Amino acid sequence: MTYVCGHQRVPSDSKEFLEVTKRDALRLLENDLDRLLLSAMPERRASLQQEMARFVDLFRRFLQEEGPSIDWDKIQKLPENAVMDYSKLKSPNTDKVQMMLDKLVVVKLNGGLGTSMGCHGPKSVIPVRSDLTFLDLTVQQIEHLNKTYNANVPLVLMNSFNTDEDTEKIIRKYKGFRVQIYTFNQSCFPRICRESFLPIAKDCNVDKDIEAWYPPGHGDFYDTFRNSDLLKQFIDEGREYCFLSNIDNLGATVDLNILNKLVGEECLDKPVEFVMEVTDKTRADVKGGTLIQFENKLRLLEIAQVPKERVDEFKSVKTFKFFNTNNIWAKLDAIDRVCRHHTLNMEIIVNNKTLENGLRVVQLETAVGAAMKCFDGSIGINVPRSRFLPVKKTSDLFLVMSNLYNLKNGSLVMSPQRMFPTTPLVKLGENHFGKVKEFLGRFANIPDIIELDHLTVSGDVTFGRGGTVIIIANHGDRIDIPAGAILENKIVSGNMRILDH
């Protein structure tokens, strides 16, 4: 269960009691963290102390914040120039591209594991197309840019303690590629007990009790990027912007038209410090964060910040037309400024979890897009849907492995044979298709879906070499679709074997 911090207001006669308990909670937490630090190896204590100081700051804000972080009635209409239309952006002259790329750093959020799809290790090493992984495709994309324009765009991976070791081993294979790869680790924060608000960790040995620790969301990027010294290095090199995205979003490639608006011939007189790529909301995206104007600042509004009685309004495609792709362009010196001045003030996401042993814990997290309000001159750009191609489930994997996309220099490009630019809606049942191994075992190959509009598969279904529309195997039933079967505009349900004749 996840929600954005803000506690219900309490009657004034309870206020004093709460203030005392909050002070006690903070003091007890700091004492416990001091105890944990004593268990760390001496050479690690300084960096851990810095990390724990950030956690204490997050915890202090969690205790202090009252009420919802957004007053719904104070949401303002988006100004006309707040969201630019991508189609109005101009392409740069080819002779300017190298100069523009020399000002860019590409950052991929690489902290996630593939466990939700039944895979071990970092999610970035799951094969997604032609035996190439997310990381392979990313390296190919940037190498192609560097070779084509004689540039030197670096790739930076933000790992977590879950993915760091495996990623470091894997990136050795890219030594012969024309891409400089850097890595740094986001913070490792202690999970706290929901009842006592104290860390559940007994010492600082994360490997010994990995369930006691967590990476605190991608909002942690700004501070850890700066503390890694990579930010200073890139600024000293004359680089101006980073393009940051989730490693599992295969549509998040370097876009020269957007870069042209930031550092090229089309750049505005006043520099844009923060760009959030948004795209048109469809009924499949009603829970995605959106852009709003609030207190005369452009900012991200997540569903967890919305009062219950306003959720339907938030989900409305008419009221809120855009949703956040989490593709972000940020000015490097502005990141340095907001970190130095401690003006980063991202909403706290309170993530309640129950561990395997039944212990209820709290994770305090932040989201990278929520920092938008902390920068000057932030804008949104309404980009084509093709720039949002995340692979969160096997349903998404089904799409990117299909003939709907062609692979070109590490980028997936929708087939020109597709008559309309929207992607099909695919729903594969979690019980039988949720894990990658099961999913692959149920398809002899991915069917032709060039003209597909909607595919739902539920239950114990296996596919030969063909295609289908909606297939439902009821509990205890089994459906086999033979090789060569062509099902068009059909609903198949029950318990049956479809035979050739």
Side-chain angles (χ1 to χ4, degrees), residues 197-210:
F197 278 173
L198 292 175
I200 64 169
K202 299 291 183 282
D203 58 47
C204 276
N205 188 338
V206 176
D207 293 332
K208 195 167 77 176
D209 188 10
I210 207 159

Side-chain angles (χ1 to χ4, degrees), residues 420-471:
F420 29 92
T422 55
T423 51
L425 183 61
V426 175
K427 296 178 181 178
L428 302 179
E430 282 293 313
N431 289 343
H432 295 87
F433 292 85
K435 309 300 181 191
V436 172
K437 190 176 178 182
E438 293 173 346
F439 160 79
L440 294 174
R442 289 178 177 274
F443 286 97
N445 70 342
I446 305 298
D448 178 345
I449 63 167
I450 288 290
E451 296 182 18
L452 181 68
D453 180 42
H454 179 170
L455 170 69
T456 297
V457 184
S458 174
D460 188 359
V461 181
T462 57
F463 289 76
R465 297 178 181 274
T468 186
V469 184
I470 296 181
I471 304 164

Side-chain angles (χ1 to χ4, degrees), residues 217-445:
H218 39 57
D220 187 51
F221 160 72
Y222 303 101
D223 279 318
T224 49
F225 184 43
R226 183 171 181 268
N227 290 340
S228 72
D229 290 332
L230 285 173
L231 177 61
K232 181 181 185 303
Q233 176 186 326
F234 293 135
I235 290 173
D236 289 347
E237 288 175 7
R239 300 190 186 273
E240 294 182 18
Y241 281 88
C242 66
F243 170 52
L244 178 145
S245 61
N246 298 336
I247 196 141
D248 64 7
N249 180 5
L250 294 175
T253 57
V254 172
D255 188 280
L256 296 179
N257 293 5
I258 296 176
L259 191 60
N260 193 31
K261 193 72 188 173
L262 298 176
V263 297
E265 297 162 306
E266 295 296 309
C267 67
L268 301 170
D269 294 335
K270 187 182 177 188
V272 175
E273 290 191 352
F274 192 101
V275 174
M276 179 179 287
E277 292 187 34
V278 296
T279 193
D280 290 342
K281 189 191 275 193
T282 68
R283 287 177 186 169
D285 315 306
V286 291
K287 292 183 179 179
T290 191
L291 279 183
I292 59 167
Q293 183 83 351
F294 187 81
E295 296 176 342
N296 298 315
K297 278 261 188 180
L298 200 59
R299 65 192 285 177
L300 176 65
L301 175 66
E302 300 276 14
I303 193 167
Q305 294 167 264
V306 178
K308 283 181 183 176
E309 66 274 13
R310 299 285 195 170
V311 167
D312 286 343
E313 196 176 336
F314 173 82
K315 289 180 177 180
S316 164
V317 177
K318 290 180 181 176
T319 311
F320 297 103
K321 297 176 182 177
F322 311 115
F323 81 97
N324 171 29
T325 64
N326 219 40
N327 299 347
I328 285 163
W329 304 71
K331 204 161 188 296
L332 297 178
D333 60 4
I335 293 174
D336 184 56
R337 185 190 72 238
V338 296
C339 290
R340 239 180 325 110
H341 295 173
H342 304 288
T343 52
L344 273 175
N345 181 27
M346 294 167 280
E347 284 76 17
I348 296 171
I349 300 163
V350 182
N351 196 349
N352 292 308
K353 286 186 176 288
T354 302
L355 304 184
E356 283 185 12
N357 61 6
L359 186 64
R360 300 192 309 158
V361 297
V362 174
Q363 295 181 183
L364 303 180
E365 304 173 8
T366 54
V368 69
M372 185 178 211
K373 63 181 181 182
C374 309
F375 290 83
D376 297 329
S378 297
I379 61 167
I381 297 182
N382 184 16
V383 297
R385 183 71 184 209
S386 57
R387 291 191 58 73
F388 183 68
L389 192 58
V391 180
K392 304 291 183 190
K393 297 181 174 181
T394 53
S395 304
D396 305 318
L397 199 54
F398 175 89
L399 288 172
V400 301
M401 290 176 73
S402 73
N403 64 340
L404 194 64
Y405 294 99
N406 298 324
L407 187 60
K408 189 177 179 185
N409 302 313
S411 299
L412 292 183
V413 182
M414 191 175 282
S415 168
Q417 291 177 276
R418 176 96 171 155
M419 299 302 290
F420 29 92
T422 55
T423 51
L425 183 61
V426 175
K427 296 178 181 178
L428 302 179
E430 282 293 313
N431 289 343
H432 295 87
F433 292 85
K435 309 300 181 191
V436 172
K437 190 176 178 182
E438 293 173 346
F439 160 79
L440 294 174
R442 289 178 177 274
F443 286 97
N445 70 342

